[in-house]
Amino acid sequence: DKQLACCLIQSEEGQRYLKAMRAAANFAFVNRSLMAMSCRKAFEKVFGRTAEAMDMRTVYDVSHNIAKEETHTVQGKDMRLLVHRKGATRAFGPGHPDVPPKYSEVGQPVLVGGSMGTCSYVLCGTQRAMELSFGSTCHGAGRGMSR
């Protein structure tokens, strides 16, 4: 597939890619934070109450389309891997140490956004997902055609 490329992650190109991806993830986090702040300010203006009084807070935030170093079981052995979730996000199962404590019993929350013509879903990670996909799932509405 000519849209896919690869390089050794320890190479100069691989390290440049990781740095650029992490910078993009930081930008995306700040962008989401600023959009949330703008929404809170608009609600405050319209309703004449503070965002805190209306309990307007971020419930959950997770990155997608990102590579992360993680430990997974491969052929019965724990291995440190760089898992690149392109078009996907994490969905770790119950009890996983990287799942926030408040979600530990049920698994990592996953919000799958729909579109004007499709439903949205609220899911949670499972042990089966850990076994089949390194704890990964789709992250939302896809596109009809490739980029």
Side-chain angles (χ1 to χ4, degrees):
D1 185 337
K2 59 185 171 185
Q3 292 186 6
L4 299 176
C6 66
C7 62
L8 296 174
I9 206 59
Q10 302 302 338
S11 70
E12 182 182 340
E13 293 84 3
Q15 290 300 298
R16 284 183 20 226
Y17 174 81
L18 279 179
K19 289 175 184 175
M21 180 199 58
R22 290 173 178 152
N26 287 338
F27 177 86
F29 176 78
V30 170
N31 190 46
R32 289 191 305 275
S33 297
L34 290 172
M35 287 190 296
M37 184 182 72
S38 295
C39 287
R40 288 184 189 106
K41 287 185 181 217
F43 271 69
E44 287 176 343
K45 185 176 180 181
V46 169
F47 294 107
R49 297 172 56 201
T50 66
E52 291 80 16
M54 293 182 281
D55 198 24
M56 293 186 72
R57 57 191 166 79
T58 300
V59 176
Y60 193 72
D61 186 23
V62 67
S63 296
H64 60 273
N65 292 341
I66 194 165
K68 295 192 87 141
E69 283 190 49
E70 301 168 354
T71 301
H72 292 280
T73 304
V74 178
Q75 297 179 343
K77 295 181 183 178
D78 284 347
M79 297 182 69
R80 196 78 183 143
L81 306 172
L82 183 68
V83 180
H84 191 204
R85 293 184 176 91
K86 184 69 180 148
T89 192
R90 287 209 294 196
F92 286 176
H96 192 283
D98 288 338
V99 174
K102 69 185 337 182
Y103 304 114
S104 184
E105 287 185 33
V106 295
Q108 187 167 24
V110 179
L111 306 174
V112 180
S115 67
M116 293 289 284
T118 62
C119 297
S120 296
Y121 297 90
V122 178
L123 312 171
C124 61
T126 65
Q127 183 56 40
R128 189 76 173 135
M130 298 301 293
E131 296 162 8
L132 294 175
S133 64
F134 299 133
S136 302
T137 189
C138 65
H139 69 71
R143 57 181 56 82
M145 299 177 69
S146 180
R147 291 180 193 195

